[in-house]
Amino acid sequence: MLQPYRTALTTQRLVHHGSLGPASCVVVEDSERKEGEQKEKGKDFKMGEGSYIGAIDQGTTSTRFMLYNDKAQVLASHQVEFTQIMPKAGWVEHDPMEILDTVKECMEKTLKQVSPEVVAGLKAIGITNQRETTVVWSKSSGKPLHNAIVWMDVRSASICRRLESELEGGSKHFVKSAGLPISTYFSATKLLWLRESVPSVRDAVENGDALFGTIDTWLIWNLTGGADGGGVHVTDCSNAARTLLMDLTTLQWHEPTLKSLGIPAAILPRIISNSEVIGTIKRDWPAAGVPLAGCLGDQHAACLGQKCKKGEAKSTYGTGCFIVLNTGDEIIPSSHGLLTTIGFKLGPDAPTNYALEGSIAIAGAAVQWLRDNLEVIRKASESETLAASVENTGGLYFVPAFGGLFAPWWRDDARGVLVGISRYTTKAHIARATLESMCFQARAVLMAMRADMKSRLKGVPDEEFLLRVDGGASANNLLMQLQADILGVPVLRPADIETTALGAAYAAGLAVGVWSEQQIFEDSHQFAQPRKFIPGVDEDTRESRYKSWNLAVERSFGLADLAL
């Protein structure tokens, strides 16, 4: 069993372009999560009574806008999926202009659901976004110079190998400054690929017309005026921390890194905190004149939405799986395959909360693969029913290393494997093994996190480990039970299972005085009764299955060349 330390886990919705509906991947509707069912107990937020906060949640496969009242309750929302562009195996792109269109549509349709008085009371909007996804655009025209390269894209693998051979320290060259290994995952290697492979990008960088940013930067620049209105070119410290280029200590671009990679500082956005007034939304956008006042990468926003203090953590498992532990003001290097990163910084003069993170590339995306590629299910919600039709996987183990493995292995040469196939194997066994793959990967990360945290975080009391989950995937009852069984700890699912957008709303509301930091972290309001999933597997069985899973992981290594 995992040893106890204070940890809370969350999940994020899963969506995909195509037949998959909003918040539906690995999801069945649960009476606990019906819209409008939230109930509060204890003290309410009072400071901003009559005020409203908006949150743009720009994810990997959909965009959503949510409107909150002064009690942090959702009043209205709208969600739109967008196109996943996959030109080659391992390549994933988004159209930045389509993303802008989805943001505008979601804002318009959400604001139409509420009264003019609510729109007039909108005090600020926060942004949360898919991280590492990289955009380069023309400063003069405002147009992208290439599709955005998505965080899970692996086209920069050869660049990574080159850097590892050229730079002192190999794959760990940037760990001291950025807390990150050299990997296709991070924005810098994607930027290098764009500069080296796309002539228009190379020319724009050379003549000073290029601007670089992650999705938060692209959205902010356009919302605040873009090429026509002097758009604000900034990024927040949580997104900047995922580029390989930011110094974790100073929260500024690391000049020796820029020099070693040949990246001009002029194309980079200014780094700001997660909670401050950035600029105002310009005309031709819904909510014109309203301040943009908060910005966090999606996993950091969920950490804030879960109110994770020092020594507490959350896990968001959506398209991928991301577990973040708040380490307070301490930068903790990992020796077990985790990333050292930013948790959040709630104001220009606020202290920085650092974090350890375990990032897993493929979680719910594996269910999308069952639906879209194998066509063994018609919609993602059927995965639960199909997987529940068998008592176990029949000895089958699935490692969904479609584009390599992230934490704690960091093997971009890995590819997906199904191990233990026999004449007995059916599509139901494959579906169940797919759900189990999420849980096994989460356990591997949590064990690495426990090892890194041993004897650290003095003064943080131990208590029973309780896995707190939320987000779309957590509505799958079988998945939650499997998670409890494989971890050997209880899993607690709250009624409010969305925290990413809430974190962005908290940051924006804090910046404009709707809420205080104490109210955000210390309030005692509760939503409807949570549901607890208790482990139902004995220790010997659990450990035996985990050992078999790790053997399957080893079989996935070194298969990248064979997959071409």
Side-chain angles (χ1 to χ4, degrees), residues 236-238 241 246 248-249 251 273-274 296 300 303-304 307-312 324-332 340-347 349-356 457 510 517 521:
D236 74 273
C237 55
S238 67
M246 192 189 80
L248 282 177
T249 303
L251 305 190
S273 75
N274 300 119
L296 308 92
H300 315 269
C303 196
L304 178 59
K307 308 177 183 183
C308 292
K309 303 175 185 178
K310 181 178 180 179
E312 298 178 338
V324 180
L325 171 69
N326 186 337
T327 62
D329 60 1
E330 187 174 3
I331 299 175
I332 299 181
T340 304
T341 190
I342 297 293
F344 44 75
K345 180 180 174 67
L346 300 180
D349 300 320
T352 302
N353 282 261
Y354 292 96
L356 281 174
L457 293 177
L510 177 64
E517 189 169 339
F521 283 95

Side-chain angles (χ1 to χ4, degrees), residues 166-178:
E166 293 176 351
L167 298 174
E168 182 181 354
S171 65
K172 297 183 178 179
H173 178 81
F174 300 112
V175 167
K176 185 175 181 181
S177 60

Side-chain angles (χ1 to χ4, degrees), residues 95-102 142-144 218 222:
D95 179 351
M97 300 304 293
E98 183 183 6
I99 287 177
L100 290 182
D101 290 341
T102 64
K143 302 299 183 182
W218 170 245
N222 281 280

Side-chain angles (χ1 to χ4, degrees), residues 15-330:
V15 291
H16 184 74
H17 180 71
S19 61
L20 177 58
S24 63
C25 190
V26 204
V27 172
V28 290
E29 283 300 322
D30 192 304
S31 60
E32 295 170 349
R33 66 183 299 246
K34 289 180 180 177
E35 190 172 352
E37 199 176 44
Q38 299 166 333
K39 299 176 182 178
E40 291 193 305
K41 300 178 182 179
K43 66 181 181 182
D44 292 337
F45 290 116
K46 293 295 185 183
M47 178 181 286
E49 190 167 359
S51 300
Y52 303 93
I53 297 292
I56 298 168
D57 182 357
Q58 205 298 296
T60 305
T61 52
S62 77
T63 299
R64 179 172 54 176
F65 184 74
M66 301 189 75
L67 188 62
Y68 295 86
N69 65 12
D70 59 296
K71 297 177 176 63
Q73 296 172 311
V74 177
L75 295 182
S77 68
H78 188 77
Q79 187 169 10
V80 176
E81 297 174 351
F82 57 90
T83 310
Q84 305 298 301
I85 304 167
M86 301 178 187
K88 298 182 181 179
W91 291 30
V92 187
E93 299 177 356
H94 293 157
D95 179 351
M97 300 304 293
E98 183 183 6
I99 287 177
L100 290 182
D101 290 341
T102 64
V103 170
K104 181 173 288 188
E105 178 182 348
C106 288
M107 293 176 69
E108 287 176 343
K109 291 189 175 181
T110 299
L111 293 176
K112 285 180 179 177
Q113 297 175 38
V114 298
S115 68
E117 290 76 18
V118 171
V119 176
L122 185 57
K123 301 300 183 185
I125 292 173
I127 292 176
T128 183
N129 61 285
Q130 53 169 315
R131 303 174 303 169
E132 297 96 16
T133 297
T134 301
V135 188
V136 179
W137 66 95
S138 165
K139 185 190 310 183
S140 58
S141 72
K143 302 299 183 182
L145 298 172
H146 190 273
N147 279 335
I149 301 181
V150 179
W151 58 270
M152 66 181 76
D153 186 288
V154 297
R155 74 185 67 187
S156 61
S158 62
I159 292 175
C160 293
R161 299 295 82 77
R162 184 184 76 211
L163 293 176
E164 290 171 1
S165 65
E166 293 176 351
L167 298 174
E168 182 181 354
S171 65
K172 297 183 178 179
H173 178 81
F174 300 112
V175 167
K176 185 175 181 181
S177 60
L180 310 174
I182 295 173
S183 170
T184 61
Y185 184 18
F186 305 114
S187 305
T189 63
K190 303 177 192 301
L191 174 58
L192 294 179
W193 185 91
L194 285 166
R195 190 185 63 189
E196 295 175 12
S197 305
V198 182
S200 60
V201 172
R202 181 173 59 249
D203 293 345
V205 171
E206 291 176 355
N207 65 31
D209 190 44
L211 292 177
F212 156 83
T214 42
I215 294 297
D216 58 305
T217 302
W218 170 245
L219 293 181
I220 291 169
W221 191 79
N222 281 280
L223 284 162
T224 57
D228 296 331
V232 179
H233 190 217
V234 299
T235 188
D236 74 273
C237 55
S238 67
N239 277 293
R242 314 296 296 188
T243 62
L244 274 178
L245 305 177
M246 192 189 80
D247 187 321
L248 282 177
T249 303
T250 65
L251 305 190
Q252 297 300 319
W253 302 120
H254 189 241
E255 292 185 6
T257 297
L258 300 185
K259 183 177 180 180
S260 67
L261 297 179
I263 296 175
I267 73 171
L268 302 178
R270 178 170 58 91
I271 301 174
I272 61 174
S273 75
N274 300 119
S275 180
E276 60 181 272
V277 175
I278 301 166
T280 57
I281 297 176
K282 300 302 182 183
R283 64 182 184 278
D284 299 328
W285 281 93
V290 174
L292 289 175
C295 183
L296 308 92
D298 51 10
Q299 309 312 320
H300 315 269
C303 196
L304 178 59
Q306 279 289 89
K307 308 177 183 183
C308 292
K309 303 175 185 178
K310 181 178 180 179
E312 298 178 338
K314 68 90 206 172
S315 174
T316 298
Y317 52 108
T319 303
C321 177
F322 306 90
I323 302 171
V324 180
L325 171 69
N326 186 337
T327 62
D329 60 1
E330 187 174 3

Side-chain angles (χ1 to χ4, degrees), residues 2-10 306 308 311-315 323-325 446 449-450 453 460-461 463-469 490:
L2 292 170
Q3 295 301 310
Y5 63 89
R6 298 186 67 188
T7 304
L9 287 175
T10 77
Q306 279 289 89
C308 292
E312 298 178 338
K314 68 90 206 172
S315 174
I323 302 171
V324 180
L325 171 69
L446 285 165
M449 191 171 284
R450 183 190 68 181
M453 296 308 300
V460 176
E463 58 184 43
E464 181 187 8
F465 185 98
L466 187 68
L467 190 64
R468 299 184 185 274
V469 297

